[in-house]
Each structure stands twice: as C-alpha cells, then as structure tokens.
Amino acid sequence: MSAAAPSKAGLFDCRDSFAATIEALAESDSRIVTVVSDSVGSSKLGGFKKKFPERMVNVGIAEQTLVAVGAGLANGGKVPFVSAASCFITGRALEQVKADIAYSNVNVKLIGQSSGVAYGELGPTHHSIEDLAWLRLFNNLKLIVPADPWQTAEAIKAAAAYDGPVFVRVSRMAVPALDRPAGATFEIGKAETLVEGSDATIIANGTMVHRAVAAAKTLAAEGISARVVNMATVNPLDEAVIAAAAETGAIITVEEHSVRGGLGGAVAEVVISTNPVPMRILGFPGFVPTGSAAWLFDNFGLNETGIADAVRQTIARKR
Amino acid sequence: MPSPAAPLKNNIASDIAAQALWIRRRSFQMVYEAQQGHPGGDFSATDILATLYFGVMRYDPKNPTDPKRDRFVMSKGHCTGAFYSVLARAGYFPEADLTTYMEPLSKLNGHPNRNYLPGVETNTGPLGHGLPVALGIAIAGQIDNADFRTFVLTGDGELQEGSNWEAALTGGHRKLENLTLIIDRNRLQQGARTEETASLDPLDDKWRAFGWHVEVVDGHDHAQLLKVLSASPKGRGKPLCVIANTFKGKGVSFMHDNVAWHHGVPTKEQYEQAMRELV
C-alpha cells in the first residue's frame, strides 16, 4: 500500500495517503468500515465508497451521531474509521468523543481531516487549531499528527492494528516526503529524530516538521546545531526523547495549532516536571484572522525564518 | 428464580411482575443505603427493564460479549438503581455487589461503566448518547445481516437533546428494523413536567414522521410490553419506537408522579413505608 503520488512539485496531500491506506487495509480486514457525515469527498473516500459501498456509513450532517455510531459499530465487532473535518468531529462531537469513545474505551479510529488552518480563508469556525488541546485531556485516546504521506500511511496502519481509541489528525496541506534512513518504522508513542543537534531541539509535528528541518539547515550554516524531532504522537508523548531534548538546553516546539494546550503545552508539562530548560512554543495565539494557510504561517512565524529566529532567541536564554 | 437464558413459558407476565417487585425493593434499598440515586426514574423504568431481561432479550450473562447477544443500551444512565438490580438479578454479577453502590472504587458508579461491569454496552450518563450508539450497533447488525436485536431505553425529558433526532433520521433512513427504542414516558424531567419545559407531544407523530413504527403502551403493564417488544421485527422495514407511558415513582404512594423524587432520597420512615407498600 504505497502512498499516493505527489500532486505537484514533489508535494503531497496526506488525505490521499489516508485514503489509499484505508482501502488497502479494508481489502484484507472485513471488519474495517468507514463512517462519514456527508464528508466522503473531503475525506477522499470516494474510492472506498466505490469498492465497499456497504461498508461506508453516511449519517448525514450530524457529527454527534457520526462519532456515536462509530462506538456502536465497534460494539458490533467492526473497526470503524470515523472521518470528518477535524474542526467538527472534535468540537461539535466533543462529549461523544469523551463518553462514547474515550471513557467507554472502544476500538474506534477518529480521523480529523483538513486540520489546522487548511481552511484558512473560511475563518476560525473552520480552523481546527484547538482540536489537540481538547482531545489531549482524554488520557487513553492516542493522538497522532503525521508529518508526511509515508507517516500518514503508517499511522493509519498502526491505528488499525491497535485495539483501542485513536485520533489521527490528517492534513490536506501540501507537504514534501521527509528524508528518512532506510528501514524507518513508525510506532505509536515513539518520536523520530530527523536532524541531530546539540545546541537546541526543535520539536514539531504535522506540517511544521519539514519547516523545522529547513530552519535547522539555515541554523547549521551559522554554526548552530539544532536537533529536529518529529513528535508525531502527542499522546502518549515520547518522554525519553523529551528528556534528551532538555539536555540540549533549549526546546522550541512548533505546531499548526494554538499555543494553548497543544504539542507545546504537552512537552512543557514534561519539561517543567523533569529538567526545566528555556522553551518557546510556536503556534497560533488564539483565533486568527481569515487568510490563506500560507499567509497565516508566514504572519505567525510558522516558517523557516520564524522557527530559526525562535531557536536563536531561546538559545540566548540558556542559563 | 427462572434462568434468564431460558425464560418460563407459562404465565411469564407474572414472573416478570415478581422480578419487577424485587428490582423495585432492591433498588430503593440501594438508594436508601447510599443516600444517593434517582429512585423516581428507577421506578418508572423497572417494568420495562424486567420485561426486557426476563421476557424478551436473548443473552448469556456468563458470556456477556457474545457477538450474537441482543444488546441493551441504558441511555437514561442515571437510573442505575434499577439497571444494576436487573443486571445482578439476570446473573451478570453477584447480587451482593449491589451493597457497594456509589462507594469509593465500587464498580457500581452513579452511571454505568462497561469497563467495570459486564452487561453494560456503553458508558452513559450525559443524556442523548444512548440512541446514537444503539444506532451504530444496529447498523453493524444490518451490515452483517445478523440476527441480534438492539434495544435502547431513553427517558422522555432526554429527548430534548438534539442528538436523538440526528439518530432518529438515520434510523428511519436505513429502515433499521433490528433497532427498538423504548421511551420511558413519565412526563417528568428533573425540574418540572416535560410539557411545561420543552413540550414533546405529539410524540408518536414525531417518531412516525421520522420513519419509525410507533407503539404506545402502558409501561407498567408487562403483558402489553411483552407483546410489542417480543414481536418479530422481520419484515417491518422500520425501526420500532415504543412509547411506554409510565409514572415516576411508580409503586410507592408518596413518590407517585412526584417530581421531587427525581433524585430524592428517603428517610428511614419513608424507606420503611415504601417497603411496606412494595409487596
């Protein structure tokens, strides 16, 4: 089940990778079903619907029932992948995620599509930059934010193999395939170090990872050795990797999410409880203006320049 | 007592009545001892629960996750006095466990938890969650063309939650004949009568308009409940909604149709009087 081909200039829409992977998994596991809320196209599940029409449940525009039906299908022996825009599957159905999925501890996979500011122009109602903060409160719900097409495919496979509730935050933003050593694997709860470094550590996930790698290259040219960690799993965190990051003396987190309670908050909770070092949390401050995702990233410093600046400033605060 | 897995064939309604009496007495004892609970709703739901567990559903308490079992979802999850009593009586766990109701670390929370307690299909408590989950269970059965039925019990005030009506749409749309909703229509919610709060009538017409087959019964009449609940759903082509007209506090004179007993708890004198009446 290879990831889908790049759309243009070597960039990928990770939803294609999600769709290809779920179709391939469904071929060999008849328990796999998909659940949508009129979100077939936006989830790129048209192919799944064509191949397995009886295994796609469309509840209409009804997110509470969308999530609850996932819980019911799991009770009936299915492995449901429940897929809708991240802003709605989380915010609109938050109590169903809490009670029916997490607290009931059922084998349901929630797929938050077009997360972050993918719908930048549509404004904060459609931005999903609060989703991780909301979901991080449910301690048994695994949270995965893949960074590229390969990792999206691996995350979907890992979610299917794991017996319990998982949320995968899928991006529609164009991202490159990351360079990895041959034989790289994905495991829920394990971070990957993409660039070695000793002066500071950038911990990123999702669409921010390739930007963090670019920032590290800029810094390297100045003689600053910045480690880059792809922290794809936000729950549970890879605390060993965070401990190692703290040993570099400065940590900068970067996420396509609010600075309140997301990856940065999660990392900070570990850092202050173990080995406090200067930290900087990069993300969006709260509701952000309407604008394209590219404009929003640039405006809020979520780009190569902004990340490099944050690293320099955080290193300057080292004790 | 008859085994729930093999209900008596003769005079089954009177056996259900005996079970219902036991459940009322035991649940009220639980509420009295814990000085917490929702006894009014326990009593309005008791006859429905007794009929389902001792006259209608197929299940094996020794194999509570049997894929072929009929499912019951307790959407009015606050009425755990009655629900835990019926589960214990049906054999899912020892009746002695009921003495731990609401105690620290008890498996018998104020609201049911499937991870602690066999026989609980989904964790409920917040209202409007049971029907959408039951819908998903029924869809799984529909996809597999399986024989099991899915029953869900909601309160009536609970129907003010919009999530129920989302699920009602899809239940009707998919013609889920393996799904049965029972509404405990006691006409009282926590603070007042439903019709004085956000009125539900004409409730039967609402469900018909959503594509459901509707039966209206006396929710304390075991024979009526048995008839509509045990009728084969095959060929009906619609999900079933049973509007069970009930009374909050049914069975005890001073609690009857009295909103104060939504989550009222008895004094020693009230408890003893109730036990004298529940015979």
Side-chain angles (χ1 to χ4, degrees), chain A residues 13-267:
Chain A
D13 176 341
C14 290
R15 294 176 302 165
D16 292 323
S17 191
F18 156 74
T21 307
I22 195 72
E23 283 177 38
L25 288 170
E27 294 278 3
S28 58
D29 186 345
S30 64
R31 300 172 306 156
I32 289 179
V33 296
T34 54
V35 192
V36 293
S37 49
D38 193 23
S39 42
V40 181
S42 55
S43 296
K44 298 242 176 185
L45 284 171
F48 185 99
K49 184 181 178 186
K50 203 170 279 179
K51 280 187 189 162
F52 311 104
E54 76 291 354
R55 287 160 64 185
M56 170 176 281
V57 179
N58 191 342
V59 300
I61 306 165
E63 285 83 8
Q64 296 181 73
T65 286
L66 170 81
V67 171
V69 160
L73 287 163
N75 178 293
K78 303 298 179 192
V79 180
F81 279 73
V82 181
S83 179
S86 198
C87 54
F88 304 132
I89 197 174
T90 58
R92 188 60 170 264
L94 191 60
E95 194 183 69
Q96 278 72 22
V97 176
K98 174 187 173 185
D100 306 351
I101 306 295
Y103 180 50
S104 290
N105 198 30
V106 293
N107 191 24
V108 172
K109 319 306 163 186
L110 302 171
I111 311 299
Q113 301 279 4
S114 303
S115 52
V117 293
Y119 293 129
E121 296 87 342
L122 304 187
T125 57
H126 285 58
H127 298 166
S128 194
I129 59 172
E130 303 88 0
D131 47 11
L132 294 174
W134 289 333
L135 299 185
R136 205 161 68 74
L137 299 169
F138 308 137
N139 52 288
N140 63 326
L141 176 62
K142 310 290 185 202
L143 299 180
I144 310 174
V145 186
D148 72 350
W150 174 82
Q151 195 167 47
T152 301
E154 293 302 307
I156 295 300
K157 287 188 260 181
Y162 172 74
D163 183 12
V166 182
F167 175 83
V168 184
R169 191 183 196 239
V170 176
S171 177
R172 73 193 288 158
M173 303 292 298
V175 289
L178 296 167
D179 287 330
R180 288 189 178 81
T185 57
F186 174 80
E187 189 180 332
I188 296 174
K190 293 282 182 219
E192 60 178 350
T193 300
L194 294 171
V195 179
E196 294 293 349
S198 55
D199 294 331
T201 303
I202 308 169
I203 300 178
N205 64 19
T207 55
M208 291 298 122
V209 174
H210 73 91
R211 291 172 170 85
V213 171
K217 282 183 185 154
T218 301
L219 292 162
E222 302 168 15
I224 297 172
S225 167
R227 184 180 302 172
V228 177
V229 168
N230 173 14
M231 187 70 69
T233 311
V234 177
N235 186 39
L237 283 172
D238 190 334
E239 297 197 13
V241 166
I242 295 172
E247 286 172 9
T248 65
I251 295 177
I252 300 86
T253 63
V254 200
E255 59 197 303
E256 188 186 348
H257 186 273
S258 170
V259 294
R260 299 163 183 259
L263 171 68
V267 170

Side-chain angles (χ1 to χ4, degrees), chain B residues 3 111 159 161 219:
Chain B
S3 158
H111 296 99
L159 297 178
E161 292 282 7

Side-chain angles (χ1 to χ4, degrees), chain B residues 16-62:
Chain B
I16 293 169
Q19 299 284 14
L21 179 64
W22 188 91
I23 293 162
R24 280 199 172 82
R25 290 177 62 90
R26 193 66 189 83
S27 67
F28 204 57
Q29 184 188 344
M30 289 162 65
V31 172
Y32 172 60
E33 289 172 355
Q35 285 292 295
Q36 288 186 74
H38 293 82
D42 283 341
F43 285 1
S44 65
T46 292
D47 297 297
I48 297 161
L49 291 168
T51 303
L52 282 170
Y53 278 85
F54 301 107
V56 177
M57 291 201 304
R58 298 168 305 164
Y59 59 93
D60 175 1
K62 302 298 173 226

